[in-house]
Amino acid sequence: MLYPLSFRVRYAYKPSDRGVSVPVSLSAGPETVKLFANVDTGADYCLFERGFAEALLIEVERGTPSGFSTAAGEFRAYGHELTLVALGVEVHALVYFFENPHIRRNVLGRNGWLNRVRLGLVDYDSVVYLSAYDE
């Protein structure tokens, strides 16, 4: 049985990138930053480099603190409500910024992003398909 789906966006990512990397913009008030983030179905939350929070004039430690644990170790991050746009699909979400300024990683996780979009991925062709969940 076939299950048809439709998507608003088709994006070809670079197969040479580490992971499935897509362009993202983060906005808080009038400030906006642009970056690339990896789609990470194993990440519970969206996590971004501290420097992006600072560019948005966000005081990182004023956010909601949370501890995270991965196979590589533990770290602390702080949650902030903002607008996230990935491949033209806009969501308002609680995202986290790393406490440690040396962590250079940006991920789009399940809560705040994946649970708000319809995602298709064909890694063999290096293509992501995306729509807002309710489209």
Side-chain angles (χ1 to χ4, degrees):
M1 176 180 278
L2 295 177
Y3 298 96
L5 292 172
S6 61
F7 299 94
R8 184 164 47 98
V9 177
R10 180 186 188 276
Y11 176 76
Y13 61 92
K14 295 178 187 172
S16 60
D17 287 347
R18 288 179 24 146
V20 178
S21 185
V22 299
V24 172
S25 68
L26 302 175
S27 300
E31 306 299 326
T32 299
V33 295
K34 295 181 183 229
L35 57 118
F36 280 84
N38 285 350
V39 175
D40 188 343
T41 60
D44 287 334
Y45 293 94
C46 299
L47 291 153
F48 298 99
E49 296 174 25
R50 180 188 183 98
F52 292 120
E54 293 168 352
L56 292 168
L57 306 177
I58 292 172
E59 294 181 46
V60 174
E61 282 80 6
R62 286 188 171 246
T64 305
S66 188
F68 294 85
S69 181
T70 70
E74 296 182 1
F75 61 89
R76 191 161 192 75
Y78 293 85
H80 295 269
E81 291 278 344
L82 50 75
T83 301
L84 183 157
V85 180
L87 300 175
V89 177
E90 180 178 307
V91 299
H92 300 283
L94 176 69
V95 305
Y96 288 84
F97 293 97
F98 294 107
E99 177 179 64
N100 183 338
H102 301 293
I103 298 176
R104 301 282 184 231
R105 195 114 173 105
N106 301 300
V107 298
L108 296 169
R110 291 184 6 255
N111 294 298
W113 192 69
L114 278 171
N115 64 353
R116 297 170 188 205
V117 300
R118 279 187 292 119
L119 173 72
L121 174 64
V122 182
D123 195 49
Y124 185 84
D125 295 329
S126 302
V127 175
V128 168
Y129 298 91
L130 190 71
S131 285
Y133 177 77
D134 57 359
E135 276 188 65

